[in-house]
Amino acid sequence: MMDPTLAEMGNHLSDAMKILETSLILFPFSIFFSDSGQDVVSILQLVQNLMHGDDDKQGQRRMQYVAEQGHMALLGHSLAAYISVLERERLRKLTTRILSDTTLWLCRLFRYENGSAYYHEDDCEGLVKVCRLVINTHYEDYATEGFTMLSSKHPVIYQSAACRPGLGQHLCSQLGLPLSCLCIVPCNTMFGSLHQMDVALLDKLIRDDRESGKVPLLLIANAGTPGAGHTDKLSRLKELCVQYNMWLHVEGVNLATLALGQVSSAVTAATKCDSMTLTPGPWLGLPAVPAVTLYRHEDPALSLAAGLTSSQPVEKLRALPLWLSLQYLGHDGIVQRIKHASQLVEDELNSPVVVFRFSQDSARKFSFLGCMCLGEQLAQQVPLSGVDVVELEDEGTCVRFSPLMTAAALGTQENDVAALVEKLGEMIPVLSCTLRFRQDFKDEVLQQASLSYIEDLSWPGLGGVRYEPRTTDLDEDKRQHSVEKINSDLLKKLMELDTDLYFSGGPEFCEEKNGIFIGMATEDLDVAELVETIVSIGKDIEESGKLFENMTEVVRRGIQEAELQLQKANEEKLMEEGVFRQIPLVGSVLNWLSPVQASVKGRTFNLAEGQKLFRRQGAGSDSVSDTSSVNQLEESFRETAHVQASDAEEAEVPQERHVHIVEETALSDQRVPEGHETESVDTLR
């Protein structure tokens, strides 16, 4: 159904759908470009179809709900396009006002006095501009001489090992610097937190670089690492930067707490840094608003050369969506949203991020699998919690709850956190049992000759198996088809069982095909019985398939044999009766004058002979093969002798069911002369 707002714009839905259907048929991976153009309603309908796709048919989740403050942010993009066509002087005044207001509000909110702001779409773009500013500050002739100024004295950019992956490489690529200009500072290895930058080691690295003629340029620190939300010792790092004339840049989710009344001293130290990058979009639940880099610098010319400021009014309109949203929320609304997200974590003053992982001594190598399973299940069953799975260098795979990045957009409440804790308590015992039984399940499967074990570390359950048919005389294509058919039927049978176990065809991107994957297990699971049941059902399916194939082959051969016999009988009939009796009119006269003594010929075979149905002992024997079954059935063919009509006697009805293929040589429309009725009737019997 079309959205109400789109329906009001026209009544041309049918035309739009025709155009869309034509475009999807002619260009399934692109949009059909009309020669005559399309009306607004058709284009909007096309956009809606592309946005939603087949969500209604496939039962997928619709787009994330956008609150009213989000609509203000989206409105800002439309207004920016409209404002850009204003008269130049009016445009300049308006954009200057918008930019100055937004910058002032953000500096006051996040305690960053006398700061300037750069608004950018990509989170890394602000840091790139800041690096250019620092390079222009340290190398006076860089704007004219370029990289030749850097060749004699290499600049060095320092970053924590806990920073965003690929951040330093991106900076070097954008600035045209070699990777030798990047220095990764490890976190504490002996003293202090394992997630904070090692200040003593950083000091030594800076001194070594200065002694070798390099120029320490900039340090990137964290107020909330991307993975676990840890904050570096910003006060001590600022002292080092002042000592060695370096620029300190800070980023991280904990910067959002600067807007609160009570802030930890570790985060408050970020207000003294030279620049910081804020991401108010996820913090406040605002879609499509820019990130902001606040910085302090006294030379406007260098800021302009670095790209942090622009004389183009249109560039200043980037702040418009944020300008509208901040006014809509107000100071109290902004603080309330950040405070609510922080209080969802018990120890919000130290770090509003919770990271935990599953650990089990008896199955330590499967801990990462347990964390992945735990994170995925929690995200599915408590979607408003916003939990996700992260990879940390030291701890490995962990589950993360970071409400500052998700709560405003998802609307996370305290009852969602309670539901998360409750679901966590339910899942841990099941997950522990599953990982404990995983190796037992593998051992049981490997003991069965008809099963092969499928190793897939992305599957959170017991594991996967595949039933392998025992027939070895099939070519590869036929064998593959047999494996696919048997395992497909086996999966259906297992899913029909009255059990708490979950059976599936496996993960979506599993490399192993035709597998059967078993889900999580409980404490009372009998692994041996489970494997025996899989083998038993698989054998039944395999044997029933063989019986069906054998019956089909026997019937096919029997029909071919019967056709040959009929053809032979027709030839013999032609030789015995002559050609004239085959002519319709002449044959009737000859048959009336001189009736022919007919004989009955036929063959019989038993479909059930040689097969023992529903006997598990036979199903488990490897001696049964397609060839032996067919031979036994073929031996049941019996040739019948010619029976003369005058000597025929009524035979007993057979005990077993037979299929008779009978050739009648006497025609039903033959006239029988007087005196021969009895003989003819006896002959037909």
Side-chain angles (χ1 to χ4, degrees), residues 364-661:
R364 186 174 299 275
K365 65 178 180 179
F366 294 122
S367 293
F368 75 98
L369 177 61
C371 287
M372 289 184 60
C373 171
L374 198 61
E376 293 174 358
Q377 292 294 320
L378 290 175
Q380 292 177 5
Q381 300 185 30
V382 194
L384 295 182
S385 65
V387 296
D388 61 351
V389 179
V390 295
E391 285 288 339
L392 301 181
E393 184 177 358
D394 296 326
E395 286 78 9
T397 306
C398 299
V399 181
R400 178 179 60 185
F401 175 57
S402 181
L404 272 175
M405 296 298 292
T406 60
L410 297 176
T412 309
Q413 302 297 327
E414 292 183 0
N415 59 333
D416 297 315
V417 179
L420 178 66
V421 175
E422 180 181 358
K423 187 60 63 176
L424 190 62
E426 295 175 358
M427 292 184 61
I428 288 179
V430 177
L431 188 58
S432 300
C433 292
T434 301
L435 296 182
R436 189 171 69 252
F437 288 143
R438 192 177 176 97
Q439 186 62 41
D440 297 340
F441 177 76
K442 180 178 180 179
D443 295 340
E444 290 288 340
V445 169
L446 293 178
Q447 293 178 7
Q448 301 292 335
S450 57
L451 295 181
S452 60
Y453 182 78
I454 299 178
E455 186 76 42
D456 191 333
L457 297 180
S458 65
W459 179 252
L462 282 177
V465 298
R466 180 171 49 244
Y467 187 87
E468 303 289 351
R470 292 165 294 168
T471 303
T472 59
D473 56 349
L474 298 177
D475 57 39
E476 185 61 29
D477 292 338
K478 290 184 178 180
R479 176 175 175 78
Q480 186 66 25
H481 180 268
S482 176
V483 171
E484 180 179 355
K485 180 68 169 58
I486 292 176
N487 283 278
S488 176
D489 294 343
L490 178 56
L491 177 59
K492 293 179 182 178
K493 293 288 186 182
L494 291 173
M495 294 174 68
E496 294 173 357
L497 295 177
D498 184 14
T499 176
D500 293 332
L501 287 175
Y502 171 72
F503 298 95
S504 168
E508 182 179 0
F509 301 103
C510 180
E511 297 181 357
E512 296 285 348
K513 302 301 180 183
N514 305 321
I516 299 173
F517 287 79
I518 296 89
M520 293 189 179
T522 54
E523 185 69 35
D524 57 351
L525 175 67
D526 189 334
V527 177
E529 182 181 355
L530 170 64
V531 175
E532 291 176 0
T533 301
I534 295 175
V535 174
S536 176
I537 297 177
K539 288 182 178 180
D540 289 344
I541 295 174
E542 181 182 6
E543 292 300 327
S544 63
K546 286 182 179 180
L547 175 61
F548 178 79
E549 292 176 359
N550 293 343
M551 285 185 175
T552 303
E553 180 66 18
V554 170
V555 172
R556 185 184 66 81
R557 293 185 182 183
I559 293 175
Q560 291 178 350
E561 182 75 15
E563 289 177 348
L564 293 175
Q565 292 293 333
L566 288 174
Q567 182 179 358
K568 182 178 179 181
N570 288 333
E571 293 175 355
E572 293 177 354
K573 176 183 177 182
L574 182 62
M575 295 297 295
E576 293 176 0
E577 298 180 359
V579 178
F580 289 105
R581 290 185 182 272
Q582 311 308 317
I583 301 175
L585 183 58
V586 178
S588 298
V589 175
L590 290 177
N591 289 334
W592 183 78
L593 294 175
S594 178
V596 177
Q597 298 295 328
S599 61
V600 179
K601 297 180 180 181
R603 298 190 61 150
T604 178
F605 61 93
N606 188 348
L607 289 177
E609 186 174 338
Q611 298 291 324
K612 299 179 180 179
L613 299 177
F614 309 112
R615 292 185 60 181
R616 192 167 300 280
Q617 293 83 355
S621 174
D622 293 337
S623 61
V624 179
S625 65
D626 292 347
T627 305
S628 62
S629 300
V630 172
N631 290 338
Q632 290 177 4
L633 290 173
E634 286 181 342
E635 290 175 359
S636 66
F637 279 98
R638 294 188 295 274
E639 189 73 40
T640 60
H642 291 283
V643 180
Q644 300 297 330
S646 58
D647 300 330
E649 296 180 359
E650 185 172 347
E652 294 182 2
V653 178
Q655 297 283 333
E656 301 173 350
R657 294 187 304 166
H658 291 71
V659 176
H660 297 277
I661 302 175

Side-chain angles (χ1 to χ4, degrees), residues 278-314:
L278 310 175
T279 55
W283 298 348
L284 304 176
L286 303 175
V289 297
V292 185
T293 295
L294 302 179
Y295 65 97
R296 296 188 185 98
H297 199 268
E298 299 178 355
D299 192 340
L302 291 180
S303 299
L304 181 63
L308 287 168
T309 59
S310 175
S311 59
Q312 298 296 324
V314 177

Side-chain angles (χ1 to χ4, degrees), residues 187-238:
C187 294
N188 287 321
T189 55
M190 296 181 63
F191 305 101
S193 172
L194 295 176
H195 305 279
Q196 291 179 322
M197 191 185 305
D198 192 330
V199 180
L201 180 57
L202 172 64
D203 189 9
K204 181 179 183 302
L205 292 173
I206 295 175
R207 285 189 278 103
D208 292 344
D209 289 336
R210 287 170 60 90
E211 292 175 359
S212 61
K214 296 181 180 180
V215 180
L217 202 65
L218 180 140
L219 171 64
I220 306 172
N222 291 298
T225 56
H230 294 275
T231 300
D232 290 321
K233 300 175 182 178
L234 299 179
S235 297
R236 183 71 181 99
L237 294 177
K238 179 59 180 177

